[in-house]
Amino acid sequence: MPDLQSPNAVIPTEQEVTVVPSVKIDPKLKEEILSQVEEQGMVIVHCSFSTPRNMGIRIWSSTYLEDQATGSKSQLLHALNITYAPSWELVMGGTIKRFILIFSSLPKTCEVFDFIEEVPDSYGFEIYGIKRNSSDVYNVSINDSVF
């Protein structure tokens, strides 16, 4: 600390101070939340989109997974590395666009499901008959022939 009585003292200027509060979470509450996340689960779909020509791509928030047996729908929760509609993203011809979609969990009884991008025109992604696996992580390939 400088000697403020000295004639050569440098007096500190006012600085912005950020205080980060300490947050304590009740261990029982933390355990309950973690078990709910585990129970609810999520479905991860890794997508690869290929096209021989330049093309716009986007994902609609109305995209879902549908259990073929019950019709139960798992909603899209989050999309990574792809633009949400109404915006468009250009995919250059001859390239592969990779993105990840995260959905709410499928029913435990689900064995086969469909991937449906519900859009106001006829150009949505649709993949039928995806067989359920124990990890609920999937890889799908989409090409522009679906359009």
Side-chain angles (χ1 to χ4, degrees), residues 2 8-9 16 23 26 29 33 38 40 43 54-56 58-60 66 85 87 95 105 110 112 116 143:
N8 297 328
E16 187 175 316
V23 177
D26 178 7
L29 178 60
I33 291 169
E38 219 173 83
Q40 292 173 2
V43 179
N54 293 353
M55 187 170 187
R58 60 187 176 178
I59 196 75
W60 287 76
E66 184 173 8
S87 298
T95 64
S105 65
C110 176
V112 179
I116 308 290
N143 60 50

Side-chain angles (χ1 to χ4, degrees), residues 100-126:
I100 299 171
L101 303 176
I102 302 170
F103 295 88
S104 58
S105 65
L106 290 161
K108 291 183 184 205
T109 58
C110 176
E111 294 179 10
V112 179
F113 63 93
D114 301 326
F115 169 82
I116 308 290
E117 183 186 29
E118 194 171 86
V119 299
D121 54 37
S122 60
Y123 299 112
F125 300 137
E126 296 178 351

Side-chain angles (χ1 to χ4, degrees), residues 132-143:
R132 181 113 186 244
N133 64 37
S134 60
S135 68
D136 269 343
V137 176
Y138 303 89
N139 291 290
V140 298
S141 294
I142 305 166
N143 60 50

Side-chain angles (χ1 to χ4, degrees), residues 62-118:
S62 55
T63 303
Y64 60 90
L65 305 177
E66 184 173 8
D67 179 353
Q68 282 190 348
T70 66
S72 177
K73 294 180 181 177
S74 297
Q75 301 303 314
L76 178 64
L77 301 174
H78 194 64
L80 303 169
N81 201 36
I82 188 168
T83 302
Y84 278 100
S87 298
W88 288 93
E89 178 179 348
L90 178 64
V91 177
M92 301 303 291
T95 64
I96 296 175
K97 169 71 176 171
R98 299 183 199 294
F99 55 96
I100 299 171
L101 303 176
I102 302 170
F103 295 88
S104 58
S105 65
L106 290 161
K108 291 183 184 205
T109 58
C110 176
E111 294 179 10
V112 179
F113 63 93
D114 301 326
F115 169 82
I116 308 290
E117 183 186 29
E118 194 171 86

